[in-house]
Amino acid sequence: QVQLVESGGGLVQAGGSLRVSCVASRLPFNRYYMGWFRQAPGKEREFVAVISWSDGSTYYADSQKGRFTISGDNAKNTVYLQMNSLKPEDTAVYYCATTGRQFYYGYPSMSGEYDYWGQGTQVTVSS
């Protein structure tokens, strides 16, 4: 059974930084994308960033460009999301997700395009 386990969430003051991690195991495919989404209370889940495991290319939601950085460690099957200059509106549960589907144009940025999800990690930014 595929497992995605997030960690690294917590409480941070506005302007601070935090790095969340996601370790993947038992993946049934070896060329895939890993993405980060977030969901704030009362809001829909939204796309944050994605990385292609085949070439390391990345894609970000416009609102996170310049503040968030997604990266990965192939050897550890781990993807990271480095979050800088955090704002109270970044408060949410952060989820990692993965898919083995092929995307010939663009990147998967819709939740329905992902096949497996982690349980999420809470990030709270205080003002």
Side-chain angles (χ1 to χ4, degrees):
Q1 184 176 354
V2 173
Q3 284 190 333
L4 299 176
V5 180
E6 300 99 332
S7 62
L11 175 64
V12 63
Q13 288 189 333
S17 298
L18 203 62
R19 189 179 79 163
V20 292
S21 305
C22 174
V23 180
S25 61
R26 304 172 190 163
L27 292 173
F29 37 76
N30 57 14
R31 295 175 65 86
Y32 52 93
Y33 295 87
M34 289 196 73
W36 284 99
F37 287 73
R38 67 185 185 183
Q39 188 166 18
K43 295 188 176 181
E44 293 186 354
R45 190 170 297 187
E46 65 171 350
F47 169 76
V48 175
V50 60
I51 186 168
S52 167
W53 231 230
S54 61
D55 62 9
S57 59
T58 58
Y59 175 70
Y60 297 87
D62 287 343
S63 57
Q64 277 83 45
K65 284 182 181 177
R67 294 194 303 126
F68 291 6
T69 302
I70 188 171
S71 62
D73 185 332
N74 277 355
K76 297 181 179 180
N77 273 354
T78 301
V79 63
Y80 306 97
L81 184 68
Q82 176 69 43
M83 301 179 287
N84 299 326
S85 303
L86 283 162
K87 307 172 183 179
E89 50 264 42
D90 293 317
T91 295
V93 177
Y94 283 71
Y95 298 91
C96 70
T98 188
T99 177
R101 307 180 208 180
Q102 295 293 318
F103 291 83
Y104 298 101
Y105 301 99
Y107 295 82
S109 60
M110 307 290 288
S111 57
E113 294 173 317
Y114 287 81
D115 301 308
Y116 303 99
W117 292 82
Q119 82 289 349
T121 185
Q122 176 71 47
V123 172
T124 303
V125 184
S126 62
S127 58

